[in-house]
């Protein structure tokens, strides 16, 4: 995308449940173009649930709140339209898709976004070199038999080619070695400097050695319990999450729920 377009991804009062159990209890986050927001939290805090709800993964139910992209209701859209609208997810565990080649996927994705797939091969080769992905993998089935590091390089390459407005990274740092982490984080940092808005969800601050957050949010038991400057990530690395655990009330009374808004049943 061009660096002078400004976009806003706004999450307001988001409550969500999975398997009938409420996991998110009112999350508020606003990310604008070019900003990197870190969402850090202990295991089970709801980090992956947040990413799943933002992209409309089946089985995750929105109970209350809103998510808008430039004022448009994102939650009303099916997953593919959310992606085409410019919200790109890199999953914690990228899915293997046998029989579907990476270059074919990207050609289709570009066309469905109203862009041309001409010159894709050259772009793929340039991005593969930049991110350290073996060019042979460009013409193989998506993520099949790839190492953890290759999968994340592959996913980051897709992000670079598709140039979404916003990227949601769910533990980009999980399952890959230091070199792959540095290459992927560096590529996302470069994209953010060119205007990409980033929601970087992670457990550890090591991701932020290359990808510099503007703001750090701490998610505990489905709530943002603190937001602050990047130093907050260093503090967490030093002291852990203990200070933030038990600092907020237990789940609200059942009466607070606003009814199941099952957007995935459509
Ligand atoms: P995090 O990514 O922060 O570690 P998750 O969002 O994966 O946390 O999980 C938050 C809580 O939701 C956990 O208690 C987890 O067991 C539960 N949970 C997540 N996904 C599912 C699911 N598909 N089915 C049942 N429970 C789930
Ligand atoms: Mg997770």
């Amino acid at each position: 995308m061009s660096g002078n377009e400004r976009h806003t991804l706004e999450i307001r009062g988001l409550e969500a449940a999975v398997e009938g159990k409420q996991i998110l209890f009112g999350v508020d986050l606003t990310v604008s173009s070019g900003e990197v927001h870190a969402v850090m939290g202990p295991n089970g805090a709801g980090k992956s649930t947040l990413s799943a709800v933002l992209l409309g993964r089946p089985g995750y139910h929105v109970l209350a709140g809103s998510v808008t992209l430039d004022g448009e209701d994102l939650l009303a859209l099916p997953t593919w339209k959310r992606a085409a609208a410019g919200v790109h997810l890199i999953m914690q565990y990228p899915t293997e898709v046998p029989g579907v080649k990476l270059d074919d996927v990207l050609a289709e994705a570009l066309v469905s976004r109203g862009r041309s797939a001409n010159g894709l091969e050259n772009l793929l080769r340039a991005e593969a070199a930049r991110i350290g992905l073996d060019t042979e993998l460009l013409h193989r089935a998506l993520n099949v038999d790839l190492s953890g590091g290759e999968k994340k390089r592959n996913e980051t390459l897709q992000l670079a080619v598709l140039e979404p407005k916003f990227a949601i990274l769910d533990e980009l740092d999980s399952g890959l070695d230091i070199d792959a982490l540095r290459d992927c984080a560096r590529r996302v940092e470069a994209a953010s400097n060119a205007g990409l808005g980033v929601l970087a969800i992670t457990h550890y601050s090591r991701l932020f050695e290359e990808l510099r957050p503007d703001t750090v949010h701490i998610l505990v038991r489905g709530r943002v319990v603190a937001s602050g400057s990047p130093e907050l990530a260093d503090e967490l690395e030093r002291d852990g999450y203990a200070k933030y655990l038990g600092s907020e009330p237990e789940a609200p009374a059942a009466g607070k729920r606003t009814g199941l808004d099952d957007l995935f049943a459509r």
Side-chain angles (χ1 to χ4, degrees):
M1 56 168 273
S2 105
N4 37 27
E5 287 172 42
R6 289 284 291 176
H7 301 283
T8 306
L9 181 67
E10 189 168 356
I11 303 167
R12 281 283 158 266
L14 187 63
E15 300 185 27
V18 56
E19 305 242 324
K21 183 178 155 206
Q22 187 165 358
I23 305 295
L24 300 181
F25 291 92
V27 173
D28 296 294
L29 288 170
T30 302
V31 185
S32 294
S33 294
E35 296 176 355
V36 177
H37 289 249
V39 175
M40 302 185 70
N43 283 325
K47 302 186 300 297
S48 292
T49 300
L50 176 62
S51 67
V53 169
L54 292 176
L55 269 296
R57 185 168 179 173
Y60 292 76
H61 304 289
V62 175
L63 304 174
S66 64
V67 181
T68 58
L69 174 60
D70 296 334
E72 271 198 55
D73 182 6
L74 207 63
L75 298 178
L77 304 176
T79 296
W80 71 270
K81 281 193 181 169
R82 298 184 199 193
V87 182
H88 187 102
L89 172 66
I90 296 187
M91 288 185 285
Q92 184 168 1
Y93 305 106
T95 311
E96 297 191 7
V97 191
V100 179
K101 293 194 299 175
L102 173 64
D103 50 351
D104 290 342
V105 169
L106 288 173
E108 288 292 335
L110 285 173
V111 169
S112 76
R113 285 156 176 71
R115 289 164 54 191
S116 166
N118 291 340
L120 177 61
E121 179 65 24
N122 286 341
L123 181 57
L124 284 175
R125 285 179 177 279
E127 281 295 344
R130 187 168 175 182
I131 201 128
L133 185 76
D134 185 343
T135 47
E136 267 196 18
L137 302 180
L138 297 173
H139 311 291
R140 291 234 313 253
L142 206 58
N143 287 325
V144 174
D145 295 331
L146 265 54
S147 72
E150 285 170 337
K151 282 182 183 170
K152 297 277 168 114
R153 287 183 202 267
N154 181 336
E155 296 288 317
T156 306
L157 175 143
Q158 293 170 49
L159 175 79
V161 169
L162 293 176
E163 299 183 300
K165 299 181 179 100
F166 292 96
I168 298 159
L169 316 175
D170 187 9
E171 305 220 13
L172 182 66
D173 47 353
S174 92
L176 80 183
D177 59 37
I178 292 291
D179 292 341
L181 174 59
R182 185 199 54 229
D183 293 346
C184 291
R186 225 174 241 179
R187 186 65 190 86
V188 178
E189 170 71 18
S192 86
N193 292 335
L196 177 73
V198 180
L199 196 59
I201 300 173
T202 188
H203 192 87
Y204 298 108
S205 64
R206 61 189 173 191
L207 173 65
F208 305 130
E209 283 165 26
E210 298 286 345
L211 177 63
R212 304 303 306 168
D214 299 289
T215 308
V216 174
H217 309 275
I218 302 177
L219 186 75
V220 173
R221 290 192 211 100
R223 285 189 181 81
V224 175
V225 297
S227 295
S229 64
E231 287 73 48
L232 199 49
D234 304 330
E235 179 203 306
L236 286 174
E237 195 69 25
R238 208 175 48 237
D239 305 336
Y241 289 102
K243 182 175 154 190
Y244 298 97
L245 298 173
S247 64
E248 90 296 344
E250 273 304 298
K256 188 174 178 286
R257 296 193 182 189
T258 53
L260 200 68
D261 179 16
D262 188 353
L263 295 154
F264 311 106
R266 288 182 198 166

